[in-house]
Amino acid sequence: MGNLHPARNERPELNERELSYIILHTHFTRKQIDQFYIRFLTYYPRGYVNFEQFCQLYSDELEHLHNSRPLLKRLFHHIDTDKDGQLNFKEILFFKAISMPESDIDEKFRWIFFLYDTNQDHQIDKYEFLHLCHFAYNIHGKFLTKTRLNEFNSFFKTFDIDGDQRLNCKEFTQLCKTCTDLLELITPMFNSTKWNSKKDDHLPIFLTSTNELTSNRIEYLMKRTKFTREQILHYYEIFQSRCHAGRLSKHEFVNFYQKLLRSNSAETYCEFLFGAFDSLFHDGFIQFDEYLIAIYIHSNSSTAHEKLEWLYNAYDRNGDGFITYHEMNQIVHALFIFYDIDREKRSVAYVAYEIMSILDLNDDDKISKQEFMNMLKDKELTSFLAPSFVKQN
């Protein structure tokens, strides 16, 4: 990545909160960050990089492209998160971090999604998708045939699960994982990434017309939950005996989940989480696979990290990879009811604001997954945001 290599050992003027945020969101150590910063200020003493300097910094890595300028413009605008027309150290460092081969694949896909979400509405509509197809072929100097364009149209329709003519981040990610040639074309800045290095736990769904528990489905569930084959079959028998239709309605789920939480006052909170459990099929019902994940995530078999990661995805209502103040306010409202907290004595809005101020390390008014996972260091906050996980008998 150009000139950004560790150099001298002087400590840069980064405050503790900034350092904590960068360490959480990258694979860099505190010492490496200090060294990167010194090197950055050596080459860019004004503390920022303009567009032409950015082009000089990264043009060698994109020299294999027929026309790299449009991509560099798009990258610069996307990396410039504060939209001041220049890139500061943190913006450059985060791009360096996301570009590294060892960075999390899901984080990369999320980053790519927002790179091509040109109107920033957290959706990629059909126009944006077809535009990115033309854009990708253009920067590589390739001709996009009508036949291939029709194939891309077909892919879009296939992965537009809810048929709203838009792809959310999850739908876009699944499309890219299937259409790998397009993925390679739109990600030349990540040319050292092995996209198939991480298996997706959510892709293999083995449903039959009779909802039969096949051997392939059992194998998938064993990997997803760490339960044994015997445990899965045991839970399947219980599920089938209680759910003659082979699925749980929302009302049935709320009753079931209240028992998991061992609380009779958790109805609002359970309804809040219903959409998170209906995450594999999005059909308004809880299938056995989703039911089993609910059992697993509240058992001793799952780790604290797995529990919080699942909870983060549940709290991120629109699936954009961040928890906003509005979402946090909804969470706190549901938890106030769950804990029977007097809303005349304590303000939902103020508690939500307090939680945001604690977890939002870079003050961008949203909480990333890494910031949320960092909550494990605060036992009191973890206890509040993650209601008691039951022990498996």
Side-chain angles (χ1 to χ4, degrees):
M1 283 288 171
N3 297 322
L4 295 181
H5 295 287
R8 294 148 42 200
N9 292 320
E10 291 91 338
R11 182 169 181 79
E13 294 300 321
L14 286 174
N15 64 48
E16 191 64 30
R17 196 173 176 89
E18 289 176 319
L19 278 170
S20 297
Y21 179 82
I22 295 173
I23 291 169
L24 275 177
H25 290 78
T26 70
H27 292 279
F28 301 134
T29 65
R30 182 180 295 262
K31 183 178 180 180
Q32 284 177 313
I33 294 167
D34 288 355
Q35 293 173 336
F36 286 144
Y37 190 56
I38 291 294
R39 193 71 169 176
F40 179 81
L41 291 181
T42 300
Y43 283 89
Y44 309 105
R46 293 185 177 182
Y48 65 84
V49 174
N50 62 33
F51 176 66
E52 292 304 324
Q53 290 171 320
F54 176 75
C55 291
Q56 293 171 12
L57 188 61
Y58 291 102
S59 58
D60 287 347
E61 297 185 22
L62 298 177
E63 62 181 359
H64 61 289
L65 294 180
H66 172 74
N67 182 15
S68 64
R69 192 80 174 183
L71 179 61
L72 285 167
K73 285 182 178 178
R74 185 174 290 234
L75 288 172
F76 184 88
H77 179 74
H78 185 57
I79 298 167
D80 179 21
T81 54
D82 59 10
K83 305 306 175 190
D84 63 353
Q86 54 196 20
L87 304 180
N88 58 38
F89 170 70
K90 286 188 287 186
E91 290 168 334
I92 286 287
L93 188 65
F94 282 127
F95 179 54
K96 177 180 175 63
I98 200 70
S99 302
M100 297 184 76
E102 62 267 28
S103 63
D104 184 78
I105 293 295
D106 290 334
E107 289 291 325
K108 269 192 171 75
F109 275 118
R110 187 178 295 112
W111 195 90
I112 295 163
F113 173 79
F114 286 109
L115 173 67
Y116 290 107
D117 174 23
T118 53
N119 63 1
Q120 299 178 354
D121 65 349
H122 296 187
Q123 305 279 345
I124 291 181
D125 60 31
K126 196 167 187 177
Y127 172 80
E128 288 174 310
F129 177 71
L130 295 180
H131 181 268
L132 81 83
C133 293
H134 284 287
F135 177 85
Y137 272 69
N138 174 54
I139 62 177
H140 286 275
K142 295 177 178 288
F143 176 70
L144 181 57
T145 65
K146 186 175 181 179
T147 299
R148 191 56 179 147
L149 188 60
N150 288 337
E151 290 174 351
F152 288 143
N153 261 311
S154 179
F155 274 117
F156 184 94
K157 185 177 181 180
T158 298
F159 289 95
D160 176 21
I161 305 300
D162 52 10
D164 63 353
Q165 297 296 305
R166 296 187 294 249
L167 301 178
N168 59 33
C169 187
K170 290 181 181 178
E171 292 169 335
F172 177 78
T173 298
Q174 299 307 332
L175 185 152
C176 288
K177 288 179 178 180
T178 302
C179 190
T180 54
D181 60 332
L182 178 62
L183 175 61
E184 296 291 338
L185 290 176
I186 66 177
T187 58
M189 58 286 189
F190 299 147
N191 55 14
S192 58
T193 297
K194 296 180 180 179
W195 295 105
N196 62 347
S197 62
K198 180 178 179 180
K199 293 182 180 180
D200 192 326
D201 288 333
H202 302 286
L203 276 178
I205 306 301
F206 303 102
L207 277 184
T208 65
S209 58
T210 59
N211 201 23
E212 179 186 354
L213 195 60
T214 63
S215 58
N216 284 339
R217 193 173 169 197
I218 292 174
E219 184 179 346
Y220 158 67
L221 290 172
M222 287 172 64
K223 292 178 181 178
R224 178 68 181 83
T225 65
K226 300 191 184 85
F227 285 150
T228 65
R229 179 181 298 270
E230 290 71 24
Q231 285 176 306
I232 293 172
L233 290 173
H234 171 68
Y235 286 124
Y236 184 71
E237 288 180 8
I238 294 174
F239 184 80
Q240 290 294 92
S241 66
R242 294 179 180 176
C243 310
H244 301 294
R247 58 187 186 177
L248 285 172
S249 66
K250 186 174 183 178
H251 176 71
E252 291 170 328
F253 168 80
V254 169
N255 290 335
F256 152 72
Y257 201 71
Q258 283 188 111
K259 292 177 182 177
L260 269 184
L261 293 176
R262 296 177 180 174
S263 170
N264 293 322
S265 59
E267 183 174 354
T268 301
Y269 184 68
C270 293
E271 289 181 350
F272 183 86
L273 295 182
F274 177 80
F277 278 109
D278 183 24
S279 60
L280 297 179
F281 308 103
H282 305 286
D283 59 355
F285 293 91
I286 302 299
Q287 310 289 349
F288 172 70
D289 307 61
E290 297 161 329
Y291 164 86
L292 190 67
I293 291 171
I295 296 289
Y296 169 70
I297 211 68
H298 289 80
S299 74
N300 285 342
S301 299
S302 61
T303 65
H305 186 277
E306 286 177 310
K307 294 178 194 297
L308 276 192
E309 187 171 32
W310 179 87
L311 196 61
Y312 179 83
N313 292 330
Y315 286 168
D316 175 20
R317 303 298 297 277
N318 62 3
D320 66 352
F322 300 99
I323 294 176
T324 62
Y325 171 78
H326 176 68
E327 288 171 321
M328 183 57 71
N329 194 284
Q330 291 179 314
I331 295 163
V332 173
H333 173 76
L335 288 172
F336 265 45
I337 298 173
F338 175 75
Y339 292 120
D340 196 23
I341 297 174
D342 191 341
R343 280 168 285 176
E344 292 186 2
K345 293 182 178 179
R346 297 196 68 187
S347 166
V348 169
Y350 183 72
V351 171
Y353 171 79
E354 278 189 319
I355 294 172
M356 290 291 294
S357 65
I358 293 171
L359 297 180
D360 180 19
L361 293 177
N362 68 333
D363 300 321
D364 62 352
D365 297 324
K366 55 189 178 184
I367 299 170
S368 67
K369 180 181 287 188
Q370 292 87 344
E371 288 172 317
F372 188 81
M373 301 302 289
N374 193 47
M375 179 178 66
L376 279 171
K377 297 177 181 179
D378 188 326
K379 292 184 178 180
E380 184 179 355
L381 185 55
T382 302
S383 177
F384 176 75
L385 285 178
S388 303
F389 288 108
V390 302
K391 293 183 179 181
Q392 183 184 0
N393 296 321

